[in-house]
Amino acid sequence: MILHDYWRSSAAYRVRIGLNLKDIAWKSAPRDLRTGEQRAADYLAIAPQGLVPALDTGAYVLTQSLAILEWLDETHPLPAFLPPDAAGRARVRAMAQAIAVDIHPINNLRVLKVLKADFGAEQPAIDAWVRHWIDEGFAALERMAPDTPFLSGDAPGLADICLVPQWYNAERFETDLAPYPRLAAVVSQARALPAFADASPDRHSDAG
């Protein structure tokens, strides 16, 4: 499989983790978001939104990280990203979406560029914006987190796959993470696993 990604994209980071957890061989096709490569005509032909990630399965191209992760779970059932019961699946999806739908979209690069270019926001204000929404989301997740090793249960799953990249972003923007000890414990355990460690932006071939 070929993953069109960017080394520091949270959404692409999620899919790298998912592919690694499923032990699926894949290759990176980097798209540098800083230079606008994601808006090139050849890429828009396969990913009309001009966003990363996009996963070329060999048969078709998938976009949107959560959709890709659920496809991976349906086509490669083990290890499962979601619990076996309906209530458990809803709970894990809720935590994943609290990150991927509520925190991440208003803090991604294209939004921050608009804040600066169209609304005149200076970098300190942009950094404060990012931290505000991370804090609001993490405060809720800290309350939602179950008393299990991972957000998804005894093994990492969809919610953990979303949490670790967002935690990386929180660190980048120097967010005070002390108020979130339960989340910190989950992140620490996840990062100790090769599937998460190998997907880290710092280990990406385009890092820098």
Side-chain angles (χ1 to χ4, degrees):
M1 296 188 189
I2 298 173
L3 178 65
H4 297 269
D5 71 344
Y6 173 61
W7 67 280
R8 210 158 58 183
S9 161
S10 298
Y13 189 176
R14 293 172 202 147
V15 175
R16 294 197 299 267
I17 294 169
L19 288 165
N20 290 348
L21 282 170
K22 297 292 189 181
D23 198 23
I24 296 171
W26 60 278
K27 293 182 179 179
S28 174
R31 299 282 175 170
D32 194 331
L33 304 188
R34 297 167 297 184
T35 62
E37 287 184 1
Q38 75 278 13
R39 293 190 295 274
D42 66 323
Y43 187 61
L44 291 175
I46 62 173
Q49 284 185 284
L51 302 174
V52 296
L55 182 66
D56 186 342
T57 69
Y60 39 78
V61 176
L62 302 170
T63 60
Q64 289 290 340
S65 64
L66 293 188
I68 293 170
L69 289 166
E70 295 226 21
W71 176 86
L72 287 172
D73 211 31
E74 292 172 5
T75 57
H76 300 76
L78 297 176
F81 290 163
L82 293 166
D85 61 299
R89 290 193 297 274
R91 177 182 59 79
V92 170
R93 286 188 175 112
M95 289 186 288
Q97 291 175 24
I99 298 165
V101 176
D102 294 333
I103 301 175
H104 173 249
I106 53 177
N107 281 350
N108 70 13
L109 184 60
R110 63 178 182 162
V111 171
L112 302 186
K113 283 184 174 180
V114 169
L115 288 176
K116 179 177 287 188
D118 295 355
F119 295 94
E122 300 292 339
Q123 195 60 47
I126 291 173
D127 293 349
W129 164 279
V130 171
R131 289 191 292 267
H132 170 83
W133 296 113
I134 290 174
D135 279 326
E136 186 165 292
F138 278 5
L141 278 169
E142 182 74 8
R143 296 189 295 270
M144 295 167 72
D147 188 20
T148 52
F150 298 95
L151 294 183
S152 302
D154 292 331
L158 188 66
D160 310 282
I161 292 169
C162 290
L163 174 61
V164 169
Q166 189 60 58
W167 194 269
Y168 173 86
N169 281 347
E171 292 172 330
R172 276 185 58 217
F173 285 92
E174 299 181 345
T175 308
D176 179 9
L177 296 170
Y180 318 117
R182 297 176 76 183
L183 299 184
V186 169
V187 170
S188 178
Q189 293 193 86
R191 282 177 167 173
L193 300 175
F196 283 81
D198 292 344
S200 171
D202 299 331
R203 296 194 183 182
H204 197 284
S205 59
D206 272 20

